[in-house]
Amino acid sequence: MTASRTVELEGHIIDSGMMQQAFGIVMDMGGNFDVEEFDVGTHKEAESYCRMAVFADSDSELQEILHELHQIGANLTDPVDAHLEAAPADRVVPTGFYSTTNHPTQVRYQGEWIDVENIEMDCAIVLEDGDDPRAYTKVLNAIEEGDLVVTDEAGIRVDPPERPRDSSGPFGFMQGGVSSERPSESLIRQVADAMKQTKEAGGNILVVTGPALIHAGAGDDLARLVREGYIDMLSAGNGFAVHDIERGLYGTSLGMDMETLEHPRKGHKHHIYTISEVIRAGGIAEAVDEGLIGEGVMYECVTNDVPYVLAGSIRDDGPLPDTITDSVEAQNAIREQAHQADMVLMLSTLLHSVAVGNCLSSTTRVVCVDINPATVTQLLDRGSSQAIGMVTDIGTFIPTLAEQVLGEVEPEAANDAAADDD
């Protein structure tokens, strides 16, 4: 094999499986490797180090192997400045541009490592020169002619989140994975503790949700969390807002009476009546101001100044005036929320969960809850490895979560739950 480069892996590379994954990548892609140095951490807080030479039959094959290794956090041992090339036209990136992961990333420029701002997956990195150089991500449709775009893997350092042996602390349970055995009261209590810890630290909590939450009867409890200041941003679609407002106006969701579970006469038309009344008022905030909307999640968002993004789709009725129907504009609005979030709750919505997940850094804590395990596994498969998945009924999860967050659990019930954990 004629082509070779040396890479290094640092951190909890054994516990996280990074080292084994690196070996597998090299062999599966037809290369060889030689471990030149390997230092093992001897206690649970200690990190390990591995330096290995990677070999391939050609430079192009080696480059493909290095690209895959780079995605999991293996970095070249001979750092050079990042390669920069000017974008030839608006929305056109140079050939061979570096496509980002969602992990914390640095680029080397004039011998100094610069943190990449607003990191998210599947973007380009643009570098601005000057007295204080900065690097940041841009989606391809935002690239402007002349932008200095990073190409190749040289001069780039990626730092994936690790999974040390010690998983204590309020966020220790967030180690990824999905199981229908996990949605216990104990785990919901841990999610509640994580929310409280996030707020105490001055962080922001984003909720991403679908209309199933309203239909499952959890709207009042989510509204309480908004009212009490535990939700800082809301991302949803036209359907969620419509059914939330419909419930306040008619007591129905999807035409079903939320108290009797019966379908009243003309109940199937309530959602379109709701849309027409909000359009007549001029929007959700205007409908709140005139007293048309007096309860529900959207009401609490308006009255408590909690920003929301309603991203439209081709399936929408109406839609509501607040719904963003331009897909690029909606993506940018979602992206702005995602970059501000320190913790995200994804509640019974596949498409919105994936859309927001694509915009998140791997350091953002994510809890995804859905009765369908495919929703959670698809989120993890698309790169949101920091997410914990809970397969459970959202109508049970949200009320229990609200009780835990707002301290409404009876002492005896809390003691019973603790005993069950033991």
Side-chain angles (χ1 to χ4, degrees):
M1 292 190 166
T2 59
S4 70
R5 294 291 294 274
T6 303
V7 300
E8 59 185 0
L9 299 90
E10 299 179 89
H12 297 281
I13 59 178
I14 300 174
D15 298 325
S16 66
M18 183 192 299
M19 188 174 69
Q20 181 180 358
Q21 191 176 0
F23 293 166
I25 286 172
V26 176
M27 292 184 289
D28 290 344
M29 298 185 70
N32 287 332
F33 64 87
D34 179 24
V35 176
E36 299 176 341
E37 182 179 349
F38 182 33
D39 297 324
V40 181
T42 56
H43 56 86
K44 64 182 180 181
E45 288 86 11
E47 297 183 346
S48 301
Y49 174 83
C50 176
R51 186 180 72 243
M52 67 178 186
V54 181
F55 305 90
D57 287 329
S58 66
D59 287 335
S60 61
E61 291 178 2
L62 177 63
Q63 193 60 40
E64 291 180 2
I65 294 174
L66 293 176
H67 174 77
E68 294 302 321
L69 290 174
H70 197 75
Q71 304 299 297
I72 65 168
N75 297 304
L76 296 172
T77 58
D78 50 346
V80 296
D81 281 357
H83 298 162
L84 301 174
E85 188 174 337
D90 290 350
R91 301 176 57 159
V92 179
V93 291
T95 302
F97 80 99
Y98 177 78
S99 178
T100 57
T101 69
N102 61 348
H103 303 314
T105 302
Q106 294 178 314
V107 297
R108 199 170 188 265
Y109 181 65
Q110 296 181 345
E112 301 290 335
W113 289 103
I114 303 173
D115 291 331
V116 178
E117 303 169 17
N118 295 330
I119 192 68
E120 60 176 281
M121 66 177 71
D122 301 332
C123 291
I125 297 176
V126 171
L127 191 137
E128 283 188 6
D129 196 5
D131 294 336
D132 187 17
R134 55 188 291 255
Y136 52 89
T137 57
K138 264 193 175 185
V139 291
L140 300 194
N141 62 32
I143 292 291
E144 299 175 277
E145 181 178 355
D147 279 347
L148 292 178
V149 178
V150 176
T151 62
D152 193 33
E153 270 80 29
I156 301 173
R157 194 159 61 186
V158 175
D159 184 22
E162 298 172 345
R163 298 179 184 178
R165 293 185 185 93
D166 184 7
S167 60
S168 61
F171 299 110
F173 71 102
M174 291 187 179
Q175 302 296 339
V178 52
S179 170
S180 58
E181 300 300 321
R182 303 183 78 162
S184 62
E185 187 169 348
S186 172
L187 187 54
I188 296 175
R189 186 166 64 249
Q190 288 178 297
V191 175
D193 289 342
M195 292 177 64
K196 290 186 281 190
Q197 176 81 5
T198 299
K199 295 305 301 176
E200 289 169 2
N204 294 317
I205 299 176
L206 167 64
V207 161
V208 184
T209 186
L213 183 142
I214 303 299
H215 201 55
D220 286 344
D221 295 288
L222 182 59
R224 284 196 298 149
L225 289 172
V226 174
R227 183 169 60 249
E228 298 300 325
Y230 285 95
I231 306 300
D232 300 285
M233 298 171 286
L234 176 75
S235 181
N238 183 72
F240 171 82
V242 170
H243 292 303
D244 173 63
I245 299 169
E246 175 195 342
R247 181 182 179 277
L249 293 180
Y250 299 100
T252 59
S253 174
L254 291 174
M256 183 185 74
D257 189 294
M258 297 300 294
E259 298 295 331
T260 66
L261 303 184
E262 297 177 350
H263 290 271
R265 184 173 177 271
K266 292 187 178 181
H268 63 287
K269 297 183 179 182
H270 286 171
H271 75 285
I272 203 68
Y273 293 161
T274 297
I275 293 169
S276 67
E277 291 304 308
V278 176
I279 292 175
R280 194 187 324 278
I284 295 174
E286 291 81 357
V288 170
D289 288 343
E290 70 177 44
L292 176 67
I293 300 174
E295 61 179 286
V297 178
M298 302 311 300
Y299 170 82
E300 296 296 345
C301 285
V302 171
T303 56
N304 292 282
D305 295 321
V306 172
Y308 55 86
V309 171
L310 302 180
S313 78
I314 199 170
R315 307 181 308 277
D316 290 340
D317 289 323
L320 295 169
D322 304 70
T323 300
I324 303 173
T325 55
D326 183 298
S327 61
V328 173
E329 183 183 347
Q331 286 178 4
N332 290 335
I334 288 172
R335 181 168 287 111
E336 183 176 345
Q337 283 190 327
H339 290 168
Q340 297 176 33
D342 298 288
M343 182 176 180
V344 181
L345 300 180
M346 298 180 172
L347 309 173
S348 290
T349 173
L350 171 58
L351 297 180
H352 274 80
S353 294
V354 170
V356 174
N358 287 348
C359 300
L360 294 173
S361 163
S362 61
T363 58
T364 305
R365 300 173 177 94
V366 178
V367 177
C368 182
V369 183
D370 203 292
I371 196 66
N372 182 0
T375 298
V376 186
T377 54
Q378 183 166 341
L379 180 69
L380 269 63
D381 289 344
R382 291 182 63 86
S384 299
S385 57
Q386 79 279 22
I388 179 172
M390 300 178 64
V391 180
T392 189
D393 172 34
I394 197 70
T396 300
F397 174 83
I398 289 296
T400 306
L401 178 67
E403 290 176 356
Q404 295 285 352
V405 170
L406 301 176
E408 298 170 353
V409 180
E410 295 293 332
E412 291 184 4
N415 293 334
D416 291 343
D420 290 342
D421 293 341
D422 295 338

